[in-house]
Amino acid sequence: MNPARRLLKYLLVYKGRLVFAAVCGLGMTGCTLLMTLFTGWFLAACGDKDVASNWLVKFGVNHGLFAAHDARMALVWIVAGLLILIYLPKGLFSYVNAYLIASVTSRVGTDIRGDMYAHIHSLPMRYFHKSRIGDIMSRMGNDVYLIQSSSLVVTQAIDGPITIVGGLARMFWLSWQLTLLALICVPMMAVSIDRITKKIRPLTTITQESLADVNATIEESITGVRIIKSFGMEEHEVKRFNGVNTRSLMAVLRYWRRNALVLPFIDVMGGVATAFIIAIGGWMVVTNAISFSDLGQFAVLAFVVAGAAKQFGRLSVVYQQTVAAGERVFEVLDTRSDLPEKADGVVLKDVRGLVEFDDVHFEYNPGEAVLDGVSFSIQPGEAVAIVGPSGAGKSTIADLIPRFYDVTGGAILVEGHDIRDIKTASLRDQMAMVPQETILFSGTIAENIAYGRPGASMDEVMNVAQAANAHEFIVQFPNGYDTVLGERGVGLSGGQRQRISIARALLKNPKILILDEATSSLDAASEDVVQEALDRLMKGRSTLIIAHRLSTVKNADRILVMDQGRVLESGAFDELVGSGGMFAQLYRTQFRSQEASDVGAQSS
Ligand SMILES: Nc1ncnc2c1ncn2[C@@H]1O[C@H](COP(=O)(O)OP(=O)(O)OP(=O)(O)O)[C@@H](O)[C@H]1O
Ligand SMILES: [Mg+2]
């Protein structure tokens, strides 16, 4: 469906309000046309025409309100009074109309943003690797705002045609010859406006894209401010931003060079038409083919109609840019999930915690194998550790279990069901993850811990914080659990954040626990305490532990040694050390030196 029709669907949700706004628009137009009629009377009273035929004058004279010889002055007074009378309802109509239209377009903007937000959260992980956050934000902000600010279009689309038709009808009635003459310019005007505004849509797209670039650059540099500062790259970043900012300005200027053409074009055409009306109309008055007051009224009407036509020209510009913004919005809304969910998917109940990898192959980018035939299982209640060099594919395995991505070969089974057959929400309900990078949200520490279970009581939050060895440092803050964290948890150390993250996972009380370097930011002493908590936590659950530290994997039931997307060895700690394979080698080089330093740290 084309973007204009889809936007219309959003608009039509508010049919009632729109109809009411249209009625008010009609009222405004009626008032305007009446005013032109009164102007005609006024001109007649002042000058050239016998006013005795005017029905108001007849009414006044017949009812003895004024004498026939006072009729002209009486009509002037009447017109002045009527003008005041007519402005009051016109103001009221105008107020209600403007408010209703703004309320509809603002609601439409809010609806679209809401739909986009919900849709983005339904999209798989892969989408977020491909898209820039600043671009998504710009579409939700700037493009939706552009759509929203098109309230002008809606207003004019409703009462513009009414004004034009009504005005023209009256003009025809006054002098059809002059009206036809005035209309000569219309086809030329329509063709040229069409040609000018056709370019508006692509130009708007370019403008919005460059604005998204600006947003994305700001977003990236603020997120990376620590790196920028540490490398002294402020100047470089400012230069980079200026480049993007200037490109955006150029795009906007190109757009405005086109946009600004529209109204002068209409003005010039209108000027030509006015010249015709003056020349021919003047000649008609001189030759008594039309009265002066009729010509005056005709001229006022022509102004009103030309004003409405001018707005129509603006409307075609706004229409084009709204559609351009709509296209960018619908691009997001049309992104399909590549993790299809089965309608009759399995809902997991009474899970014991069996996880199986059956010859799993996986690639992020086609042709680049990251996992190459991985098979293992985690029996209910078992703790399985994965070790291996950086880039081996450990975190990838962790991400595949909650189905952040689909495998490209083989299968992952939970409780014997292929996870592609399980309702994703139900699958993820069974597990908690302590990821390699801790993300905290703006909010209090308590809220952050309760994230996975919003209804949790304060006691429960404190219990898990104690278990995660976080309680001590939390209560040292003046506001304790109510300490507000910044967007990225600024104000907490890496180890403190990790402990909040562990507490969060503990509170969810899952059957399957995934720990990706969960204790990597802790010093040896803190790690021992958290490790104790984790050991307690791991009881009765299936756990996948990814770790570099010996102490973390030593107690695991089984250790898998990975390299380059394959499991090379597996077995218990002592078995692997004794076998003299890759693990034994890793143990000798990495773990032994670590153990020595851990021991050193403890004894010092
Ligand atoms: N989003 C992604 N897009 C493309 N490639 C990726 C993506 N994430 C990871 N990779 C690649 O997949 C491979 C495995 O990455 P993974 O994060 O699983 O390694 P890891 O074993 O957890 O390493 P580390 O110990 O450093 O955390 C790496 O070669 C990495 O470059
Ligand atoms: Mg990793």
Side-chain angles (χ1 to χ4, degrees):
M1 208 179 351
N2 76 28
R5 289 198 30 204
R6 289 175 74 173
L7 287 172
L8 193 66
K9 265 175 94 174
Y10 274 100
L11 207 59
L12 288 182
V13 172
Y14 302 104
K15 276 196 283 294
R17 284 186 175 80
L18 284 173
V19 168
F20 199 51
V23 170
C24 292
L26 252 171
M28 280 157 66
T29 308
C31 291
T32 308
L33 293 179
L34 276 178
M35 277 181 328
T36 64
L37 178 71
F38 300 155
T39 312
W41 291 356
F42 169 72
L43 291 173
C46 289
D48 62 327
K49 219 169 144 185
D50 181 19
V51 296
S53 61
N54 183 293
W55 64 268
L56 258 181
V57 170
K58 278 188 197 155
F59 180 87
V61 172
N62 289 347
H63 287 77
L65 296 174
F66 45 82
H69 62 269
D70 287 335
R72 281 171 67 178
M73 200 52 226
L75 193 55
V76 169
W77 286 111
I78 290 171
V79 167
L82 283 175
L83 280 182
I84 292 173
L85 269 187
I86 210 87
Y87 265 106
L88 289 174
K90 194 181 175 205
L92 189 66
F93 285 136
S94 158
Y95 172 77
V96 178
N97 175 276
Y99 175 72
L100 282 177
I101 297 287
S103 94
V104 169
T105 48
S106 306
R107 278 164 211 270
V108 166
T110 309
D111 291 349
I112 294 178
R113 248 194 311 272
D115 285 356
M116 287 175 90
Y117 191 78
H119 186 71
I120 284 169
H121 279 294
S122 79
L123 290 175
M125 214 62 152
R126 220 177 260 280
Y127 176 75
F128 300 94
H129 292 308
K130 280 187 306 201
S131 334
R132 292 186 310 168
I133 299 167
D135 180 69
I136 303 175
M137 281 168 58
S138 184
R139 287 172 197 245
M140 288 188 69
N142 298 325
D143 290 281
V144 173
Y145 184 73
L146 197 60
I147 294 172
Q148 207 171 311
S149 65
S150 62
S151 56
L152 181 94
V153 182
V154 185
T155 331
Q156 254 91 59
I158 293 173
D159 51 60
I162 302 170
T163 310
I164 293 175
V165 170
L168 281 178
R170 176 81 184 143
M171 283 162 76
F172 261 103
W173 191 78
L174 287 168
S175 165
W176 61 268
Q177 301 94 328
L178 270 184
T179 311
L180 283 182
L181 205 64
L183 288 180
I184 282 178
C185 297
V186 169
M188 262 163 66
M189 214 189 285
V191 171
S192 43
I193 289 178
D194 185 57
R195 290 194 58 178
I196 295 173
T197 52
K198 262 215 180 95
K199 275 295 276 220
I200 295 279
R201 197 188 302 193
L203 288 175
T204 305
T205 307
I206 296 170
T207 311
Q208 295 298 96
E209 275 167 4
S210 63
L211 200 56
D213 269 349
V214 171
N215 265 1
T217 311
I218 297 173
E219 195 271 335
E220 278 161 14
S221 68
I222 291 181
T223 312
V225 68
R226 184 184 291 268
I227 304 295
I228 295 173
K229 286 200 188 301
S230 67
F231 282 91
M233 294 294 273
E234 291 93 337
E235 217 170 290
H236 168 83
E237 286 299 323
V238 170
K239 258 192 210 139
R240 193 165 76 101
F241 181 75
N242 285 345
V244 176
N245 209 13
T246 309
R247 271 199 295 284
S248 165
L249 173 69
M250 291 304 144
V252 172
L253 293 182
R254 245 178 91 194
Y255 162 84
W256 272 106
R257 273 197 288 277
R258 180 58 74 145
N259 187 341
L261 266 182
V262 177
L263 291 190
F265 226 89
I266 299 175
D267 268 343
V268 170
M269 299 283 189
V272 173
T274 312
F276 273 129
I277 293 172
I278 285 180
I280 309 293
W283 173 74
M284 284 167 77
V285 171
V286 172
T287 56
N288 284 329
I290 188 172
S291 73
F292 170 70
S293 57
D294 280 355
L295 180 67
Q297 197 185 141
F298 186 93
V300 175
L301 276 167
F303 265 113
V304 171
V305 170
K310 203 160 156 180
Q311 294 301 342
F312 242 67
R314 277 259 282 285
L315 189 146
S316 60
V317 172
V318 176
Y319 172 81
Q320 295 292 347
Q321 69 189 25
T322 306
V323 171
E327 278 168 353
R328 286 170 51 76
V329 162
F330 292 127
E331 224 169 75
V332 174
L333 283 174
D334 289 344
T335 314
R336 284 286 136 239
S337 167
D338 56 2
L339 293 180
E341 173 130 357
K342 283 198 176 155
D344 56 346
V346 179
V347 174
L348 293 178
K349 259 194 239 112
D350 302 325
V351 174
R352 293 170 309 138
L354 173 64
V355 179
E356 296 161 284
F357 273 58
D358 180 14
D359 191 28
V360 168
H361 290 256
F362 179 73
E363 42 200 43
Y364 287 102
N365 303 312
E368 295 168 24
V370 170
L371 296 184
D372 190 12
V374 172
S375 297
F376 68 91
S377 69
I378 310 174
Q379 297 301 317
E382 205 181 21
V384 172
I386 304 182
V387 298
S390 183
K394 305 181 296 292
S395 295
T396 304
I397 286 185
D399 282 350
L400 288 178
I401 301 175
R403 203 181 169 207
F404 289 163
Y405 311 92
D406 265 343
V407 298
T408 42
I412 298 171
L413 298 96
V414 168
E415 283 322 275
H417 301 286
D418 189 319
I419 57 173
R420 286 167 291 196
D421 298 335
I422 301 174
K423 290 250 182 229
T424 312
S426 151
L427 174 73
R428 292 178 188 165
D429 253 2
Q430 310 306 325
M431 46 189 77
M433 195 175 203
V434 180
Q436 205 163 0
E437 284 165 44
T438 307
I439 302 290
L440 301 179
F441 297 100
S442 46
T444 64
I445 290 183
E447 282 164 359
N448 264 287
I449 294 176
Y451 191 73
R453 238 182 70 201
S457 72
M458 199 57 211
D459 278 347
E460 289 172 302
V461 168
M462 278 197 204
N463 278 341
V464 292
Q466 246 143 12
N469 195 20
H471 181 75
E472 286 74 21
F473 82 77
I474 296 173
V475 290
Q476 273 169 23
F477 290 115
N479 292 327
Y481 282 84
D482 294 327
T483 304
V484 175
L485 304 175
E487 265 179 357
R488 286 172 177 267
V490 183
L492 294 188
S493 75
Q496 289 171 333
R497 290 157 54 144
Q498 225 162 26
R499 279 177 276 175
I500 301 250
S501 179
I502 292 169
R504 185 190 275 168
L506 285 176
L507 189 62
K508 196 173 173 192
N509 195 17
K511 269 292 166 203
I512 300 166
L513 185 65
I514 302 164
L515 307 170
D516 191 355
E517 311 272 1
T519 55
S520 61
S521 304
L522 301 179
D523 59 82
S526 313
E527 196 194 359
D528 282 348
V529 185
V530 174
Q531 193 57 48
E532 246 177 58
L534 285 178
D535 286 344
R536 238 177 298 138
L537 166 71
M538 275 151 49
K539 284 210 179 72
R541 308 171 206 278
S542 309
T543 315
L544 183 74
I545 313 154
I546 298 169
H548 281 118
R549 295 219 203 199
L550 169 66
S551 49
T552 321
V553 297
K554 202 166 185 176
N555 296 332
D557 296 306
R558 211 142 30 89
I559 300 168
L560 309 176
V561 185
M562 280 192 73
D563 193 17
Q564 297 187 1
R566 284 168 204 260
V567 177
L568 301 183
E569 297 165 26
S570 91
F573 187 83
D574 294 332
E575 264 171 59
L576 289 174
V577 173
S579 74
M582 185 169 170
F583 186 80
Q585 205 180 325
L586 275 172
Y587 173 67
R588 273 196 301 278
T589 55
Q590 180 195 349
F591 292 152
R592 190 169 275 170
S593 68
Q594 203 167 57
E595 211 172 31
S597 73
D598 287 358
V599 169
Q602 275 161 3
S603 61
S604 65

